[in-house]
Amino acid sequence: MLGRLSWDAIPLGQPIPLITSLVVIAVILAALLWLTISGYWPYLFREWITSVDHKRIGVMYCILALVMLIRGFADAIMMRSQQAVALDSGGYLPPEHFNQIFSAHGTIMIFFVAMPFVIGLMNFVVPLQLGVRDVAFPTLNSVSLWLTATGVLLVNMSLFIGEFSQAGWLAYPPLSELKFSPGVGVDYYLWALQISGIGTLLTGVNFVTTILKIRAPGMALMRMPIFCWTALASNLLIVAAFPILTATFAMLLLDRYLGFHFFTTDRGGNPMMYVNLIWAWGHPEVYILILPIFGVFSEVISTFSGKPLFGYRSMVLATMAICILSFMVWLHHFFTMGAGADINGFFGIMSMIIAVPTGVKLFNWLFTMWGGRVRFEAPMMWAIAFLITFVIGGMTGVLLAVPPADFVLHNSLFLVAHFHNVVIGGVLFGAFAGYNYWFPKAFGFKLEQRFGTAAFWFWVVGFYVAFMPLYVLGLEGMTRRMQHYDVAAWRPWLIVAAGGAALVLCGIACQVVQLAVSVRDRVALRDRTGDPWDGRTLEWMTASPPPHFNFAAMPDVTGEEAYWGIKQRAIARARLSPLPIYKAIEMPRNSLTGFVTAFFAVVTGFALIWHIWWMAAVGFAGAFATFVVFAWRDKAEYELPADELALVDARRREAREDLVAGREPGIHPVRVEEKEDPIRLGLRDPSAGHAGPASKRIITGFGFWVFLLSDFIMFSGFYAAYAVLSHETAGGPTPDQLFNLHIVAVETAFLLLSSFACGMATIASRVRNMLWTQVSYLVTGLLGLGFLALEVNEFAKMLAVGAGPDRSAFLSAFFTLVGCHGLHVTVGLLWLGTMMAQFFTKGFRPSIMRRGLCFGLFWHALDIIWVGIFTNVYLLGTSP
């Protein structure tokens, strides 16, 4: 009934996890009780839980990241204190508990602190900087958030139900295989990251579509703020890299659950293939995190230097160069694998080359500060600390890119120090800069300065005290993940490192106090104008906090620094810009879809971890029903009348009077002649521009194309595995002995004909012919069912002769590649059934027509994928 779940899963004999679990449960219950007594549930439900507003979602991402920062740092404190006392002793943490802690620490800090923080900042800022009202797919944005929260919940559930992985934050096989990790720890890791990874992938699709297809009139690509460019590059990497992670984890799950042999040490499995695949995702992941942070620093340094960003076009070029080069350096993570001097040399050189565009950015930031009026506010202090710290981390990274040096330092604490040098000094410092910089825009008041400054110094000093000793220890030969040691010379350095961690803890405490004091003194710290920092980009044009529709009228962008130009013209003329023409707008309705999807995802994930199959079936059915209900909704938007927009905008304009009159402190006017100098105002070519947001049909179609691109990449991961393992038959049947080309040719004909029928349905729907639309879709479905029946028959015959996926690595790869395509066809048929019903009951509404467009793209994509499988698997597999 409950699979592997029993009372033994509760850590009753382990005091540290048990006490921690009880404290966490008590805090959660106390918070729920307080919310209930205070009557905040209706407000939370209406304004936050069901919200699809990108700003609220961004804030929730950042809150999630800050909470998990405390959780992940608790693990760090335990690791540092354990190593400080573990000379010639076991310390206070048993080996299996220590292994879980370092695995959880890395997993949490990368996936559930850095990623949510970066995505939260992008969510909040990007639509505002683009001058638009929301992201391309608001409800999908909510689903992404709540799927990330699902991963967070599953990881934390492992604290008091079962155990977490002991295989490190990347779960290398064979250690992560069932033979060596028979518990549920690796399963918690895999399902938590698989579910949250889907949410991240959907975020990537959403933001690529938003940035490329939804921008204010005049906002040409070369007029976008640098933060938008870095967000675009980061999300392109998400779309390209996260499908690889999805495919890799799927293969490891199949090994563990169904006895496949992708990464096992027998029957042709290849553990090294996992390492290649995971780092083909892993190194782009580093740039997924750091590129938006580069954008944060670009905004902060430009604003607090009082100058336009130096070398805007070179910054754009450097950003996109990093985006491309990030896929050419993954092998430097395992130079010691024995690939040979040629391969190691190539990847070493590429790892050095990718430092060049980063160097361009560093010099551009320095030249931006040069000659500027630098103000040392909290965001700028974090930026300066980043410049110094990141350079040190970058130099040690270039050293590790030299293969001979890496052979000496690989897997040592030198590597740990380098990685934290980049992630803390880069990503986390940048996230804190963005947090301080945009906090007034999100909440309408600044953060208190004294505790913010104290937090800054504790963090920076604590970081150097904690991690510089690790460079020394790495050079002395201490490897990572040591639960105890017997070299007395290491202990003083480890005690110093533990002291540094204590200083960082003081920094976190100061940040908590800063937030509490800021909330208490919010009236005195209030942002009256919406522009507390003398900003240069469009988010500072709105009120603080912005209304849910962001802009009453979309701004007309005429230069690279749109708001700066508008502001300086208004200050020069001592009057606000003329009133815009207000028009009624449509805004997305709140939706429970994301929260309900997350509920069923938690149920499904927990059930799969503990092998509770009936509960997993309930979870899958609930998730599918949720999406059917979402697709069946009649009104996804509501209308805001022009009068309401005008009233809200009038209050914003009234608050800007002091700013325009030059009475607001911190605003530095630029002298503007009667005949304005376009270069001085940041205008390059007023005649060149952008027409504004695309139509809903184009946005939907483009977004779905981006999703299909990610799907193709996932299939390429499975195909890469097949290409590697296709000859690993382990003495079993070979492709030419198993494949029946005549049957497969019939399958192919069925699928190609179904695609033709689907195209006919699309044509019929465009001319509003219901009969031929339904008939064509019916033929599509019947041919698809025929294809599936033949594929199931092929699998059944193989299983009947003992040629199942557990027989060899070749058959594991074959069943996975072809089976994944069959699963897509099954999903397509379910989608087709619901869509036919929608056409029949609701007619040719624009929203249903857009769904028909997406289904057609999906079905044709399945044809393309199958043609590749037919050619490369069946034809080449049976050729002499």
Side-chain angles (χ1 to χ4, degrees):
M1 183 69 176
L2 294 179
R4 295 193 290 176
L5 185 62
S6 67
W7 286 109
D8 294 336
I10 308 299
L12 298 175
Q14 303 177 46
I16 294 176
L18 182 62
I19 294 170
T20 305
S21 302
L22 293 175
V23 170
V24 170
I25 292 171
V27 170
I28 292 173
L29 291 176
L32 295 176
L33 181 63
W34 176 75
L35 290 171
T36 304
I37 294 173
S38 303
Y40 285 139
W41 282 114
Y43 167 77
L44 280 176
F45 182 82
R46 182 181 65 254
E47 297 294 333
W48 294 92
I49 293 174
T50 62
S51 177
V52 297
D53 181 352
H54 71 95
K55 299 180 292 298
R56 303 271 180 167
I57 289 173
V59 169
M60 286 190 281
Y61 265 117
C62 291
I63 292 172
L64 185 67
L66 291 169
V67 171
M68 291 306 290
L69 174 64
I70 296 172
R71 164 72 173 86
F73 186 74
D75 291 334
I77 285 286
M78 286 193 285
M79 284 190 292
R80 293 273 71 86
S81 57
Q82 161 70 17
Q83 290 187 326
V85 301
L87 174 63
D88 294 324
S89 72
Y92 69 95
L93 291 174
E96 64 277 4
H97 192 187
F98 183 79
N99 293 347
Q100 289 183 56
I101 285 173
F102 70 65
S103 300
H105 171 73
T107 303
I108 288 169
M109 288 303 198
I110 294 298
F111 290 98
F112 301 124
V113 176
M115 283 298 294
F117 221 145
V118 167
I119 291 174
L121 292 175
M122 290 191 295
N123 253 289
F124 185 85
V125 176
V126 166
L128 288 169
Q129 288 195 339
L130 293 177
V132 297
R133 297 189 171 100
D134 214 317
V135 294
F137 309 110
T139 304
L140 200 66
N141 203 19
S142 173
V143 172
S144 299
L145 165 70
W146 289 108
L147 287 179
T148 302
T150 296
V152 168
L153 183 57
L154 288 174
V155 166
N156 285 293
M157 287 174 72
S158 71
L159 185 67
F160 51 89
I161 305 176
E163 61 178 3
F164 193 66
S165 170
Q166 300 182 42
W169 78 278
L170 287 178
Y172 281 6
L175 181 58
S176 56
E177 289 284 356
L178 194 62
K179 180 178 179 180
F180 301 101
S181 295
V184 297
V186 175
D187 300 325
Y188 265 117
Y189 167 89
L190 290 172
W191 286 115
L193 298 191
Q194 194 75 302
I195 292 170
S196 65
I198 292 170
T200 303
L201 178 59
L202 295 178
T203 294
V205 172
N206 211 341
F207 275 89
V208 169
T209 307
T210 300
I211 295 170
L212 293 181
K213 290 299 175 184
I214 307 182
R215 302 190 302 278
M219 180 72 79
L221 287 174
M222 293 308 292
R223 290 177 178 172
M224 290 197 308
I226 284 294
F227 183 74
C228 293
W229 271 108
T230 57
L232 174 62
S234 176
N235 284 282
L236 285 170
L237 287 174
I238 287 174
V239 171
F242 265 80
I244 301 173
L245 183 70
T246 301
T248 306
F249 281 169
M251 287 184 271
L252 183 54
L253 283 165
L254 289 170
D255 277 6
R256 290 182 59 83
Y257 278 73
L258 298 177
F260 284 33
H261 295 285
F262 283 104
F263 312 122
T264 59
T265 53
D266 59 345
R267 296 188 180 272
N270 189 337
M272 204 62 230
M273 183 173 68
Y274 179 94
V275 179
N276 272 282
L277 287 170
I278 202 73
W279 281 115
W281 159 83
H283 202 82
E285 165 69 5
V286 173
Y287 293 101
I288 288 170
L289 295 175
I290 200 64
L291 281 174
I293 296 304
F294 287 167
V296 171
F297 288 125
S298 297
E299 303 296 337
V300 166
I301 290 172
S302 175
T303 297
F304 291 101
S305 298
K307 289 174 57 183
L309 184 67
F310 181 89
Y312 171 85
R313 284 165 175 75
S314 64
M315 291 290 266
V316 172
L317 183 61
T319 298
M320 301 315 292
I322 291 172
C323 182
I324 295 168
L325 292 172
S326 65
F327 276 102
M328 302 181 185
V329 296
W330 82 87
L331 195 131
H332 70 213
H333 292 276
F334 45 96
F335 280 139
T336 56
M337 69 174 279
D342 292 343
I343 293 176
N344 284 355
F346 171 80
F347 281 95
I349 292 169
M350 293 307 299
S351 301
M352 297 174 197
I353 289 174
I354 202 171
V356 174
T358 305
V360 170
K361 289 176 175 288
L362 285 166
F363 281 109
N364 282 351
W365 290 322
L366 292 173
F367 289 141
T368 301
M369 295 168 63
W370 180 265
R373 187 187 288 106
V374 178
R375 292 172 286 149
F376 293 97
E377 300 279 359
M380 190 63 173
M381 293 170 67
W382 286 109
I384 293 172
F386 154 79
L387 290 174
I388 299 168
T389 308
F390 194 76
V391 166
I392 296 172
M395 288 191 299
T396 58
V398 172
L399 173 62
L400 288 169
V402 180
D406 185 77
F407 268 73
V408 176
L409 299 170
H410 182 75
N411 215 37
S412 73
L413 285 184
F414 189 97
L415 174 62
V416 174
H418 156 70
F419 186 70
H420 285 79
N421 214 152
V422 173
V423 173
I424 295 178
V427 178
L428 208 52
F429 284 9
F432 290 154
Y435 166 68
N436 281 271
Y437 183 57
W438 283 302
F439 188 94
K441 180 55 60 180
F443 297 103
F445 58 93
K446 288 184 178 182
L447 287 168
E448 195 272 343
Q449 189 170 358
R450 290 173 305 153
F451 282 104
T453 303
F456 166 79
W457 285 111
F458 274 123
W459 261 101
V460 173
V461 174
F463 165 78
Y464 278 96
V465 174
F467 288 100
M468 293 303 111
L470 301 193
Y471 281 121
V472 178
L473 288 166
L475 291 169
E476 290 184 352
M478 184 174 180
T479 57
R480 63 204 298 198
R481 299 168 179 164
M482 294 185 70
Q483 185 259 351
H484 64 277
Y485 53 94
D486 57 4
V487 181
W490 293 349
R491 189 174 191 180
W493 295 109
L494 290 167
I495 292 173
V496 172
L503 291 175
V504 173
L505 179 61
C506 293
I508 293 175
C510 286
Q511 287 174 310
V512 173
V513 174
Q514 178 198 30
L515 183 60
V517 171
S518 301
V519 173
R520 185 194 67 190
D521 299 340
R522 60 188 177 277
V523 175
L525 296 167
R526 180 171 172 262
D527 171 20
R528 294 173 296 175
T529 66
D531 186 12
W533 306 121
D534 193 15
R536 312 179 76 86
T537 45
L538 286 175
E539 72 268 30
W540 305 111
M541 187 176 181
T542 65
S544 294
H548 59 285
F549 51 81
N550 292 348
F551 299 92
M554 279 193 185
D556 188 10
V557 176
T558 57
E560 288 173 11
E561 294 185 309
Y563 172 59
W564 182 257
I566 294 170
K567 178 170 60 176
Q568 292 304 326
R569 286 195 294 270
I571 291 174
R573 297 166 179 167
R575 66 177 185 273
L576 293 171
S577 56
L579 278 172
I581 299 173
Y582 300 105
K583 297 179 181 178
I585 61 173
E586 290 183 339
M587 292 298 295
R589 293 179 180 273
N590 284 0
S591 174
L592 256 177
T593 302
F595 185 77
V596 175
T597 301
F599 171 79
F600 286 116
V602 170
V603 170
T604 304
F606 185 80
L608 290 169
I609 288 164
W610 289 100
H611 295 191
I612 309 173
W613 306 121
W614 64 267
M615 186 185 293
V618 169
F620 277 118
F624 178 73
T626 302
F627 282 106
V628 171
V629 171
F630 168 70
W632 217 271
R633 71 199 189 284
D634 283 324
K635 295 182 179 179
E637 297 172 327
Y638 66 96
E639 186 177 275
L640 274 173
D643 293 343
E644 183 176 339
L645 297 175
L647 183 63
V648 173
D649 200 43
R651 291 196 292 267
R652 178 192 69 86
R653 291 173 65 87
E654 183 181 354
R656 298 268 162 160
E657 292 291 346
D658 284 346
L659 186 152
V660 169
R663 294 190 295 269
E664 185 65 25
I667 302 298
H668 303 287
V670 175
R671 184 181 175 186
V672 181
E673 305 295 339
E674 188 64 31
K675 187 174 182 181
E676 296 164 350
D677 179 3
I679 302 299
R680 193 180 189 86
L681 292 180
L683 309 182
R684 292 294 180 266
D685 183 4
S687 63
H690 171 69
S695 68
K696 289 182 180 179
R697 181 177 176 82
I698 290 176
I699 292 168
T700 303
F702 183 85
F704 202 76
W705 267 116
V706 176
F707 170 76
L708 289 176
L709 172 64
S710 71
D711 206 34
F712 279 119
I713 294 170
M714 184 189 71
F715 268 103
S716 71
F718 289 130
Y719 180 74
Y722 179 83
V724 170
L725 303 175
S726 59
H727 297 291
E728 302 295 340
T729 59
T734 58
D736 59 318
Q737 294 171 336
L738 290 173
F739 298 158
N740 186 331
L741 280 184
H742 299 292
I743 300 297
V744 178
V746 175
E747 287 182 52
T748 305
F750 275 17
L751 199 60
L752 292 175
L753 287 172
S754 74
S755 191
F756 175 77
C758 182
M760 295 301 295
T762 302
I763 294 171
S765 66
R766 286 182 180 175
V767 297
R768 306 297 194 270
N769 188 315
M770 181 61 73
L771 175 61
W772 280 106
T773 298
Q774 295 287 2
V775 168
S776 299
Y777 276 140
L778 180 61
V779 173
T780 301
L782 291 174
L783 289 169
L785 283 171
F787 171 84
L788 270 184
L790 290 174
E791 195 168 276
V792 169
N793 181 63
E794 178 188 24
F795 282 8
K797 288 180 177 179
M798 290 184 180
L799 293 171
V801 297
D806 58 344
R807 177 64 182 82
S808 67
F810 151 64
L811 286 167
S812 295
F814 167 77
F815 272 87
T816 301
L817 178 60
V818 178
C820 183
H821 181 270
L823 181 62
H824 276 65
V825 173
T826 304
V827 170
L829 292 174
L830 292 172
W831 184 3
L832 176 61
T834 60
M835 199 174 59
M836 288 176 67
Q838 284 182 296
F839 270 116
F840 184 76
T841 57
K842 298 185 178 184
F844 297 99
R845 294 183 183 180
S847 59
I848 298 174
M849 293 288 288
R850 292 195 294 272
R851 289 168 205 157
L853 168 67
C854 292
F855 174 79
L857 293 174
F858 178 78
W859 200 257
H860 298 321
L862 294 186
D863 266 19
I864 296 171
I865 293 168
W866 180 255
V867 168
I869 293 173
F870 177 70
T871 303
N872 294 294
V873 174
Y874 289 99
L875 289 182
L876 292 181
T878 55
S879 61

